[in-house]
Amino acid sequence: MFINLEQLPADPILGLIKQFGEDPREHKIDLGVGVYKDNQGLTPVMQAVQHAEQKLFADQTTKSYIGPLGVPQFNEAMKLLVLGQRHSVLNEQRIALVQTPGGCGALRVAAELIKRSHGAPTIWVSEPTWGNHTPLLGDSGLNIRSYPYYDFGKHRIQFDAMLSCLNQVPAGDFVLFHGSCHNPSGADLTREQWQQLVQLVQRRGFTPFIDLAYQGFGEGTEQDAYGFRLMAEQLPECVLAVSCSKNFGLYRERVGALAVTTETVASAQAVTTHIARVVRGIYSMPPSHGALIVAQILADPNLYKVWQEELSQMRQRLLHTRANLVEQLRQRGLGDRFDFLAREKGMFSFLGLKPEQVVALAEQFAIHMLGNSRISVCGLNGANIDYFAEALAAVSAR
Ligand code: LMR
């Protein structure tokens, strides 16, 4: 039967890892997948993670099962990280939070949970959104529709168009928002815009679903949770998928969580049992190693401080690289065309190039990015930013 299956093309984002690996040129630049790199182009294990991992190895006594909900200490610590210390939802225990294999696991489990409780509603995603949102949510049977978000010409959020589209969304549907560091555009909602969205959700009655994959990469761990905290405070129910891949650098360990804020304590408890049932039916239980590391860091004030400092350095490096790139491009006669790069946040931005310009950068200059000209900014560093600016100026002139 499998003889009928034809070979599929590589995933557009993950395929770039291979494309980059196969490029023999020494001066090649990887602006593809969203993995943080330091100024040497490396993705080292974070110090806080190393310390926590050593302690974990020294202290562990068993590898026995933990269960579908994951590591309890991780789940409690993550509630504090995403909600802050004094959130009403926390005080009233109106939250179900379950460890998942990465943010992707959270998105998929959420989709299955939504199907159990709502049938197959529509989930609205931003245009554009992260390429893997559609398979993660749509393959479980949810209908996917999109709302206008990023104006590719003006490099801004088209907030009026977004509002007027969301004003048509019926109660019972879900709307996916990026908590911070919008992937792929880097254009984030302001606090005022989040407040307006809350009012709109109150009028319409749909359920917000927030994907928080980059907490700490925009303005800080507290600031980046603003949208979720506000929605959880003001609205009866809210879904959150959170990832520890980027902010703890735990990519391959697959650590994340799904949270649902509910109207009552009983509802939170019921939701937890349904999530456990979904998990049992897909992967039975998540791995514990990465979650134990995160739990350790969040529980230990010294490790927490080390982690926050490292995260702050990563954030500062992204901001600095963005500002530096704008400056480099201005010096090469490109005026204010790329100034938006310094306004945007997190790992990604669109350069706004034509497909043939992206191809030219890969073929002639060994610079690799997504076909839609999304770049992962941290692929740039002191050693390659001049070369990149020169190449971008050259293809932009064509
Ligand atoms: C990205 O968008 O590059 C990252 O989120 C990595 C991934 O899995 O796609």
Side-chain angles (χ1 to χ4, degrees):
M1 289 296 273
F2 297 124
I3 193 83
N4 298 329
L5 294 181
E6 283 171 17
Q7 193 170 333
L8 294 173
D11 175 271
I13 296 177
L14 302 182
L16 268 179
I17 299 176
K18 189 160 175 276
Q19 179 183 313
F20 180 75
E22 288 172 353
D23 187 336
R25 293 168 285 185
E26 264 184 23
H27 60 284
K28 64 186 176 180
I29 304 180
D30 177 15
L31 305 179
V33 69
V35 170
Y36 179 80
K37 295 199 195 78
D38 65 15
N39 201 37
Q40 278 68 50
L42 303 173
T43 311
V45 182
M46 291 171 80
Q47 290 288 319
V49 168
Q50 287 187 31
H51 289 306
E53 200 160 40
Q54 276 156 12
K55 188 157 168 25
L56 188 60
F57 282 134
D59 294 352
Q60 68 184 349
T61 53
T62 181
K63 292 283 190 191
S64 177
Y65 291 130
I66 294 182
L69 304 179
V71 175
Q73 311 90 291
F74 169 86
N75 292 345
E76 290 310 310
M78 287 301 287
K79 287 181 190 170
L80 290 174
L81 185 65
V82 296
L83 283 171
Q85 304 280 340
R86 282 181 291 278
H87 200 284
S88 61
V89 160
L90 203 57
N91 299 335
E92 293 155 22
Q93 301 185 2
R94 290 185 292 106
I95 181 168
L97 187 143
V98 171
Q99 183 207 328
T100 54
C104 287
L107 286 157
R108 184 47 176 261
V109 172
E112 298 293 338
L113 176 74
I114 289 169
K115 236 175 42 186
R116 283 177 88 86
S117 60
H118 292 68
T122 296
I123 179 154
W124 296 74
V125 299
S126 61
E127 170 52 39
T129 196
W130 177 45
N132 208 24
H133 275 147
T134 302
L136 281 168
L137 301 166
D139 284 3
S140 67
L142 304 187
N143 300 304
I144 311 273
R145 292 189 65 182
S146 60
Y147 60 86
Y149 186 79
Y150 189 69
D151 182 327
F152 290 84
K154 298 201 175 102
H155 292 281
R156 309 191 166 275
I157 297 175
Q158 26 181 345
F159 196 60
D160 289 344
M162 175 179 176
L163 286 185
S164 69
C165 177
L166 295 184
N167 244 321
Q168 312 298 318
V169 172
D173 280 4
F174 287 73
V175 177
L176 187 79
F177 300 104
H178 297 224
S180 70
C181 307
H182 185 270
N183 180 4
S185 75
D188 279 354
L189 296 160
T190 63
R191 291 188 172 205
E192 205 199 26
Q193 288 171 332
W194 279 110
Q195 289 155 14
Q196 285 187 56
L197 284 172
V198 166
Q199 287 170 13
L200 186 148
V201 184
Q202 280 165 338
R203 280 199 308 278
R204 299 299 310 170
F206 60 76
T207 308
F209 183 155
I210 294 163
D211 187 358
L212 187 58
Y214 295 87
Q215 188 180 2
F217 270 78
E219 294 176 4
T221 45
E222 297 299 300
Q223 297 89 327
D224 292 355
Y226 177 83
F228 168 64
R229 291 179 186 177
L230 181 74
M231 289 203 159
E233 179 84 46
Q234 307 276 325
L235 301 168
E237 294 180 337
C238 194
V239 181
L240 175 79
V242 54
S243 170
C244 300
S245 297
K246 326 279 168 162
N247 54 4
F248 288 88
L250 283 168
Y251 308 90
R252 64 176 65 171
E253 301 294 354
R254 311 310 299 138
V255 195
L258 166 63
V260 181
T261 58
T262 55
E263 289 190 77
T264 63
V265 180
S267 174
Q269 289 165 348
V271 166
T272 306
T273 63
H274 282 268
I275 296 176
R277 185 65 63 82
V278 167
V279 167
R280 185 73 172 137
I282 310 180
Y283 52 83
S284 187
M285 40 196 122
S288 72
H289 186 72
L292 285 165
I293 291 171
V294 171
Q296 176 85 33
I297 293 171
L298 295 178
D300 178 330
N302 289 330
L303 283 187
Y304 183 84
K305 193 160 165 271
V306 172
W307 170 64
Q308 279 287 349
E309 277 163 12
E310 290 182 280
L311 191 52
S312 163
Q313 277 167 20
M314 300 200 290
R315 185 168 60 242
Q316 297 308 326
R317 191 179 113 64
L318 283 169
L319 289 172
H320 176 76
T321 305
R322 286 175 173 280
N324 189 4
L325 182 55
V326 167
E327 190 49 40
Q328 296 274 349
L329 294 169
R330 276 179 169 258
Q331 282 170 14
R332 286 169 175 81
L334 289 159
D336 60 4
R337 175 170 165 192
F338 289 98
D339 281 10
F340 64 88
L341 290 167
R343 287 197 303 269
E344 296 177 343
K345 300 222 178 70
M347 285 210 193
F348 309 112
S349 279
F350 281 116
L351 292 177
L353 301 181
K354 299 192 194 96
E356 56 272 25
Q357 292 172 312
V358 173
V359 171
L361 282 170
E363 288 181 354
Q364 292 162 29
F365 297 94
I367 295 169
H368 301 270
M369 65 185 69
L370 288 189
N372 57 15
S373 80
R374 184 198 81 167
I375 57 164
S376 176
V377 174
C378 56
L380 296 172
N381 56 50
N384 66 19
I385 199 163
D386 282 14
Y387 173 74
F388 174 69
E390 205 64 46
L392 183 55
V395 301
S396 297
R398 291 176 190 173

mmCIF file of all heavy atoms in Angstrom, residues 20-55:
data_model
loop_
_atom_site.group_PDB
_atom_site.id
_atom_site.type_symbol
_atom_site.label_atom_id
_atom_site.label_comp_id
_atom_site.label_asym_id
_atom_site.label_seq_id
_atom_site.Cartn_x
_atom_site.Cartn_y
_atom_site.Cartn_z
ATOM 1 N N PHE A 20 21.614 24.579 3.893
ATOM 2 C CA PHE A 20 22.778 25.293 4.433
ATOM 3 C C PHE A 20 23.940 24.324 4.653
ATOM 4 O O PHE A 20 25.078 24.608 4.285
ATOM 5 C CB PHE A 20 22.400 25.988 5.759
ATOM 6 C CG PHE A 20 23.547 26.732 6.364
ATOM 7 C CD1 PHE A 20 23.960 27.947 5.842
ATOM 8 C CD2 PHE A 20 24.228 26.211 7.456
ATOM 9 C CE1 PHE A 20 25.034 28.634 6.401
ATOM 10 C CE2 PHE A 20 25.298 26.892 8.018
ATOM 11 C CZ PHE A 20 25.707 28.101 7.481
ATOM 12 N N GLY A 21 23.631 23.161 5.240
ATOM 13 C CA GLY A 21 24.673 22.165 5.526
ATOM 14 C C GLY A 21 25.394 21.716 4.258
ATOM 15 O O GLY A 21 26.594 21.443 4.280
ATOM 16 N N GLU A 22 24.670 21.649 3.167
ATOM 17 C CA GLU A 22 25.263 21.148 1.916
ATOM 18 C C GLU A 22 26.019 22.215 1.128
ATOM 19 O O GLU A 22 26.674 21.913 0.137
ATOM 20 C CB GLU A 22 24.158 20.536 1.035
ATOM 21 C CG GLU A 22 23.675 19.207 1.598
ATOM 22 C CD GLU A 22 22.450 18.666 0.880
ATOM 23 O OE1 GLU A 22 21.885 19.370 0.023
ATOM 24 O OE2 GLU A 22 22.047 17.537 1.215
ATOM 25 N N ASP A 23 25.910 23.468 1.549
ATOM 26 C CA ASP A 23 26.634 24.542 0.848
ATOM 27 C C ASP A 23 28.101 24.498 1.286
ATOM 28 O O ASP A 23 28.412 24.692 2.462
ATOM 29 C CB ASP A 23 26.002 25.902 1.215
ATOM 30 C CG ASP A 23 26.586 27.042 0.394
ATOM 31 O OD1 ASP A 23 27.726 26.903 -0.100
ATOM 32 O OD2 ASP A 23 25.905 28.073 0.260
ATOM 33 N N PRO A 24 29.028 24.194 0.352
ATOM 34 C CA PRO A 24 30.427 24.023 0.761
ATOM 35 C C PRO A 24 31.173 25.346 1.009
ATOM 36 O O PRO A 24 32.287 25.336 1.524
ATOM 37 C CB PRO A 24 31.043 23.296 -0.442
ATOM 38 C CG PRO A 24 30.195 23.702 -1.605
ATOM 39 C CD PRO A 24 28.814 23.990 -1.082
ATOM 40 N N ARG A 25 30.583 26.487 0.656
ATOM 41 C CA ARG A 25 31.314 27.754 0.747
ATOM 42 C C ARG A 25 31.536 28.167 2.207
ATOM 43 O O ARG A 25 30.605 28.151 3.009
ATOM 44 C CB ARG A 25 30.568 28.845 -0.027
ATOM 45 C CG ARG A 25 30.576 28.569 -1.534
ATOM 46 C CD ARG A 25 29.619 29.465 -2.284
ATOM 47 N NE ARG A 25 28.234 29.074 -2.094
ATOM 48 C CZ ARG A 25 27.198 29.636 -2.718
ATOM 49 N NH1 ARG A 25 27.412 30.614 -3.583
ATOM 50 N NH2 ARG A 25 25.969 29.219 -2.493
ATOM 51 N N GLU A 26 32.754 28.562 2.529
ATOM 52 C CA GLU A 26 33.087 28.853 3.923
ATOM 53 C C GLU A 26 32.407 30.094 4.467
ATOM 54 O O GLU A 26 32.125 30.202 5.649
ATOM 55 C CB GLU A 26 34.603 29.002 4.071
ATOM 56 C CG GLU A 26 35.216 27.704 4.518
ATOM 57 C CD GLU A 26 36.686 27.804 4.782
ATOM 58 O OE1 GLU A 26 37.168 28.921 5.044
ATOM 59 O OE2 GLU A 26 37.331 26.746 4.707
ATOM 60 N N HIS A 27 32.164 31.053 3.580
ATOM 61 C CA HIS A 27 31.592 32.318 4.043
ATOM 62 C C HIS A 27 30.064 32.282 4.094
ATOM 63 O O HIS A 27 29.416 33.313 4.258
ATOM 64 C CB HIS A 27 32.057 33.450 3.124
ATOM 65 C CG HIS A 27 31.642 33.240 1.685
ATOM 66 N ND1 HIS A 27 32.282 32.344 0.867
ATOM 67 C CD2 HIS A 27 30.649 33.781 0.943
ATOM 68 C CE1 HIS A 27 31.693 32.355 -0.330
ATOM 69 N NE2 HIS A 27 30.696 33.218 -0.304
ATOM 70 N N LYS A 28 29.472 31.094 3.981
ATOM 71 C CA LYS A 28 27.998 30.993 3.949
ATOM 72 C C LYS A 28 27.366 31.526 5.237
ATOM 73 O O LYS A 28 27.986 31.493 6.306
ATOM 74 C CB LYS A 28 27.593 29.538 3.714
ATOM 75 C CG LYS A 28 28.004 28.590 4.829
ATOM 76 C CD LYS A 28 27.678 27.154 4.434
ATOM 77 C CE LYS A 28 28.166 26.178 5.501
ATOM 78 N NZ LYS A 28 27.871 24.779 5.158
ATOM 79 N N ILE A 29 26.136 32.030 5.096
ATOM 80 C CA ILE A 29 25.408 32.598 6.248
ATOM 81 C C ILE A 29 24.044 31.919 6.351
ATOM 82 O O ILE A 29 23.299 31.843 5.371
ATOM 83 C CB ILE A 29 25.209 34.126 6.093
ATOM 84 C CG1 ILE A 29 26.550 34.836 5.885
ATOM 85 C CG2 ILE A 29 24.498 34.691 7.320
ATOM 86 C CD1 ILE A 29 26.431 36.353 5.722
ATOM 87 N N ASP A 30 23.728 31.482 7.554
ATOM 88 C CA ASP A 30 22.450 30.796 7.799
ATOM 89 C C ASP A 30 21.463 31.749 8.475
ATOM 90 O O ASP A 30 21.606 32.070 9.654
ATOM 91 C CB ASP A 30 22.714 29.580 8.708
ATOM 92 C CG ASP A 30 21.432 28.858 9.066
ATOM 93 O OD1 ASP A 30 20.400 29.113 8.410
ATOM 94 O OD2 ASP A 30 21.468 28.031 9.995
ATOM 95 N N LEU A 31 20.473 32.206 7.709
ATOM 96 C CA LEU A 31 19.429 33.079 8.275
ATOM 97 C C LEU A 31 18.093 32.338 8.285
ATOM 98 O O LEU A 31 17.030 32.942 8.224
ATOM 99 C CB LEU A 31 19.329 34.369 7.451
ATOM 100 C CG LEU A 31 20.636 35.167 7.291
ATOM 101 C CD1 LEU A 31 20.415 36.405 6.443
ATOM 102 C CD2 LEU A 31 21.192 35.563 8.648
ATOM 103 N N GLY A 32 18.185 31.001 8.350
ATOM 104 C CA GLY A 32 16.985 30.186 8.202
ATOM 105 C C GLY A 32 16.232 29.919 9.492
ATOM 106 O O GLY A 32 15.480 30.758 9.980
ATOM 107 N N VAL A 33 16.469 28.752 10.056
ATOM 108 C CA VAL A 33 15.636 28.285 11.169
ATOM 109 C C VAL A 33 15.831 29.158 12.425
ATOM 110 O O VAL A 33 16.905 29.728 12.638
ATOM 111 C CB VAL A 33 15.948 26.788 11.451
ATOM 112 C CG1 VAL A 33 17.331 26.596 12.029
ATOM 113 C CG2 VAL A 33 14.891 26.152 12.324
ATOM 114 N N GLY A 34 14.765 29.273 13.198
ATOM 115 C CA GLY A 34 14.792 30.121 14.393
ATOM 116 C C GLY A 34 15.495 29.460 15.557
ATOM 117 O O GLY A 34 14.869 28.986 16.503
ATOM 118 N N VAL A 35 16.806 29.435 15.479
ATOM 119 C CA VAL A 35 17.623 28.924 16.585
ATOM 120 C C VAL A 35 18.591 30.040 16.934
ATOM 121 O O VAL A 35 19.266 30.569 16.050
ATOM 122 C CB VAL A 35 18.395 27.651 16.144
ATOM 123 C CG1 VAL A 35 19.417 27.253 17.196
ATOM 124 C CG2 VAL A 35 17.429 26.501 15.898
ATOM 125 N N TYR A 36 18.662 30.400 18.221
ATOM 126 C CA TYR A 36 19.535 31.506 18.619
ATOM 127 C C TYR A 36 21.006 31.157 18.376
ATOM 128 O O TYR A 36 21.440 30.048 18.669
ATOM 129 C CB TYR A 36 19.326 31.848 20.105
ATOM 130 C CG TYR A 36 20.234 32.972 20.528
ATOM 131 C CD1 TYR A 36 19.911 34.290 20.228
ATOM 132 C CD2 TYR A 36 21.457 32.706 21.144
ATOM 133 C CE1 TYR A 36 20.779 35.322 20.548
ATOM 134 C CE2 TYR A 36 22.322 33.738 21.472
ATOM 135 C CZ TYR A 36 21.977 35.039 21.164
ATOM 136 O OH TYR A 36 22.838 36.051 21.471
ATOM 137 N N LYS A 37 21.749 32.117 17.848
ATOM 138 C CA LYS A 37 23.198 31.932 17.712
ATOM 139 C C LYS A 37 23.886 33.135 18.337
ATOM 140 O O LYS A 37 23.392 34.263 18.218
ATOM 141 C CB LYS A 37 23.597 31.843 16.239
ATOM 142 C CG LYS A 37 23.040 30.634 15.524
ATOM 143 C CD LYS A 37 23.839 30.376 14.243
ATOM 144 C CE LYS A 37 23.142 29.432 13.319
ATOM 145 N NZ LYS A 37 22.056 30.044 12.555
ATOM 146 N N ASP A 38 25.020 32.905 18.986
ATOM 147 C CA ASP A 38 25.761 34.012 19.592
ATOM 148 C C ASP A 38 26.632 34.700 18.537
ATOM 149 O O ASP A 38 26.571 34.365 17.350
ATOM 150 C CB ASP A 38 26.558 33.535 20.821
ATOM 151 C CG ASP A 38 27.658 32.545 20.449
ATOM 152 O OD1 ASP A 38 28.008 32.438 19.253
ATOM 153 O OD2 ASP A 38 28.163 31.865 21.365
ATOM 154 N N ASN A 39 27.453 35.635 18.986
ATOM 155 C CA ASN A 39 28.244 36.425 18.041
ATOM 156 C C ASN A 39 29.317 35.587 17.337
ATOM 157 O O ASN A 39 29.910 36.022 16.360
ATOM 158 C CB ASN A 39 28.869 37.633 18.765
ATOM 159 C CG ASN A 39 29.245 38.726 17.781
ATOM 160 O OD1 ASN A 39 28.525 38.968 16.802
ATOM 161 N ND2 ASN A 39 30.392 39.356 17.998
ATOM 162 N N GLN A 40 29.561 34.373 17.856
ATOM 163 C CA GLN A 40 30.500 33.459 17.182
ATOM 164 C C GLN A 40 29.750 32.501 16.251
ATOM 165 O O GLN A 40 30.345 31.588 15.675
ATOM 166 C CB GLN A 40 31.278 32.618 18.208
ATOM 167 C CG GLN A 40 32.492 33.311 18.827
ATOM 168 C CD GLN A 40 32.090 34.458 19.729
ATOM 169 O OE1 GLN A 40 31.232 34.279 20.587
ATOM 170 N NE2 GLN A 40 32.683 35.620 19.531
ATOM 171 N N GLY A 41 28.447 32.686 16.173
ATOM 172 C CA GLY A 41 27.660 31.802 15.311
ATOM 173 C C GLY A 41 27.340 30.457 15.957
ATOM 174 O O GLY A 41 26.980 29.498 15.276
ATOM 175 N N LEU A 42 27.474 30.388 17.290
ATOM 176 C CA LEU A 42 27.246 29.111 17.986
ATOM 177 C C LEU A 42 25.958 29.139 18.810
ATOM 178 O O LEU A 42 25.478 30.214 19.181
ATOM 179 C CB LEU A 42 28.429 28.815 18.928
ATOM 180 C CG LEU A 42 29.802 28.762 18.242
ATOM 181 C CD1 LEU A 42 30.913 28.646 19.280
ATOM 182 C CD2 LEU A 42 29.858 27.599 17.245
ATOM 183 N N THR A 43 25.439 27.966 19.095
ATOM 184 C CA THR A 43 24.256 27.834 19.958
ATOM 185 C C THR A 43 24.661 27.009 21.178
ATOM 186 O O THR A 43 24.327 25.824 21.277
ATOM 187 C CB THR A 43 23.103 27.136 19.212
ATOM 188 O OG1 THR A 43 22.929 27.778 17.940
ATOM 189 C CG2 THR A 43 21.797 27.205 19.989
ATOM 190 N N PRO A 44 25.418 27.607 22.102
ATOM 191 C CA PRO A 44 25.897 26.802 23.236
ATOM 192 C C PRO A 44 24.781 26.485 24.224
ATOM 193 O O PRO A 44 23.753 27.166 24.242
ATOM 194 C CB PRO A 44 26.948 27.708 23.899
ATOM 195 C CG PRO A 44 26.718 29.073 23.373
ATOM 196 C CD PRO A 44 25.810 29.002 22.180
ATOM 197 N N VAL A 45 25.006 25.451 25.046
ATOM 198 C CA VAL A 45 24.063 25.151 26.127
ATOM 199 C C VAL A 45 24.166 26.295 27.138
ATOM 200 O O VAL A 45 25.272 26.694 27.523
ATOM 201 C CB VAL A 45 24.426 23.805 26.803
ATOM 202 C CG1 VAL A 45 23.418 23.465 27.905
ATOM 203 C CG2 VAL A 45 24.500 22.693 25.772
ATOM 204 N N MET A 46 23.042 26.852 27.548
ATOM 205 C CA MET A 46 23.079 27.994 28.473
ATOM 206 C C MET A 46 23.692 27.572 29.816
ATOM 207 O O MET A 46 23.554 26.425 30.235
ATOM 208 C CB MET A 46 21.654 28.549 28.665
ATOM 209 C CG MET A 46 21.115 29.234 27.408
ATOM 210 S SD MET A 46 19.355 29.658 27.524
ATOM 211 C CE MET A 46 19.425 31.157 28.502
ATOM 212 N N GLN A 47 24.373 28.534 30.458
ATOM 213 C CA GLN A 47 25.026 28.248 31.752
ATOM 214 C C GLN A 47 24.029 27.719 32.777
ATOM 215 O O GLN A 47 24.287 26.745 33.474
ATOM 216 C CB GLN A 47 25.653 29.538 32.314
ATOM 217 C CG GLN A 47 26.847 30.039 31.558
ATOM 218 C CD GLN A 47 28.051 29.136 31.796
ATOM 219 O OE1 GLN A 47 28.289 28.689 32.903
ATOM 220 N NE2 GLN A 47 28.768 28.854 30.733
ATOM 221 N N ALA A 48 22.903 28.395 32.885
ATOM 222 C CA ALA A 48 21.898 27.995 33.874
ATOM 223 C C ALA A 48 21.446 26.563 33.603
ATOM 224 O O ALA A 48 21.256 25.771 34.544
ATOM 225 C CB ALA A 48 20.704 28.945 33.828
ATOM 226 N N VAL A 49 21.328 26.221 32.332
ATOM 227 C CA VAL A 49 20.911 24.859 31.956
ATOM 228 C C VAL A 49 22.000 23.859 32.341
ATOM 229 O O VAL A 49 21.720 22.791 32.892
ATOM 230 C CB VAL A 49 20.583 24.789 30.447
ATOM 231 C CG1 VAL A 49 20.441 23.356 29.960
ATOM 232 C CG2 VAL A 49 19.318 25.584 30.145
ATOM 233 N N GLN A 50 23.258 24.224 32.074
ATOM 234 C CA GLN A 50 24.362 23.316 32.428
ATOM 235 C C GLN A 50 24.375 23.020 33.919
ATOM 236 O O GLN A 50 24.506 21.874 34.339
ATOM 237 C CB GLN A 50 25.698 23.936 32.027
ATOM 238 C CG GLN A 50 25.922 23.915 30.538
ATOM 239 C CD GLN A 50 27.330 24.388 30.184
ATOM 240 O OE1 GLN A 50 28.262 24.196 30.947
ATOM 241 N NE2 GLN A 50 27.471 25.003 29.039
ATOM 242 N N HIS A 51 24.216 24.075 34.729
ATOM 243 C CA HIS A 51 24.226 23.877 36.191
ATOM 244 C C HIS A 51 23.069 22.987 36.619
ATOM 245 O O HIS A 51 23.244 22.061 37.401
ATOM 246 C CB HIS A 51 24.129 25.218 36.922
ATOM 247 C CG HIS A 51 25.376 26.037 36.801
ATOM 248 N ND1 HIS A 51 26.614 25.552 37.148
ATOM 249 C CD2 HIS A 51 25.589 27.303 36.386
ATOM 250 C CE1 HIS A 51 27.535 26.483 36.928
ATOM 251 N NE2 HIS A 51 26.926 27.561 36.456
ATOM 252 N N ALA A 52 21.885 23.295 36.106
ATOM 253 C CA ALA A 52 20.699 22.527 36.497
ATOM 254 C C ALA A 52 20.840 21.069 36.057
ATOM 255 O O ALA A 52 20.477 20.147 36.789
ATOM 256 C CB ALA A 52 19.447 23.148 35.873
ATOM 257 N N GLU A 53 21.430 20.880 34.890
ATOM 258 C CA GLU A 53 21.567 19.518 34.362
ATOM 259 C C GLU A 53 22.549 18.703 35.208
ATOM 260 O O GLU A 53 22.311 17.536 35.510
ATOM 261 C CB GLU A 53 22.049 19.605 32.910
ATOM 262 C CG GLU A 53 21.774 18.361 32.110
ATOM 263 C CD GLU A 53 21.800 18.621 30.613
ATOM 264 O OE1 GLU A 53 22.674 19.393 30.155
ATOM 265 O OE2 GLU A 53 20.951 18.062 29.903
ATOM 266 N N GLN A 54 23.647 19.361 35.632
ATOM 267 C CA GLN A 54 24.617 18.654 36.478
ATOM 268 C C GLN A 54 23.967 18.217 37.786
ATOM 269 O O GLN A 54 24.152 17.095 38.255
ATOM 270 C CB GLN A 54 25.825 19.550 36.769
ATOM 271 C CG GLN A 54 26.844 19.503 35.644
ATOM 272 C CD GLN A 54 27.724 20.743 35.594
ATOM 273 O OE1 GLN A 54 27.724 21.543 36.534
ATOM 274 N NE2 GLN A 54 28.419 20.921 34.500
ATOM 275 N N LYS A 55 23.182 19.124 38.354
ATOM 276 C CA LYS A 55 22.504 18.808 39.611
ATOM 277 C C LYS A 55 21.507 17.659 39.400
ATOM 278 O O LYS A 55 21.414 16.752 40.224
ATOM 279 C CB LYS A 55 21.795 20.072 40.124
ATOM 280 C CG LYS A 55 21.230 19.911 41.502
ATOM 281 C CD LYS A 55 21.054 21.240 42.196
ATOM 282 C CE LYS A 55 20.224 21.159 43.460
ATOM 283 N NZ LYS A 55 20.175 19.884 44.135
#
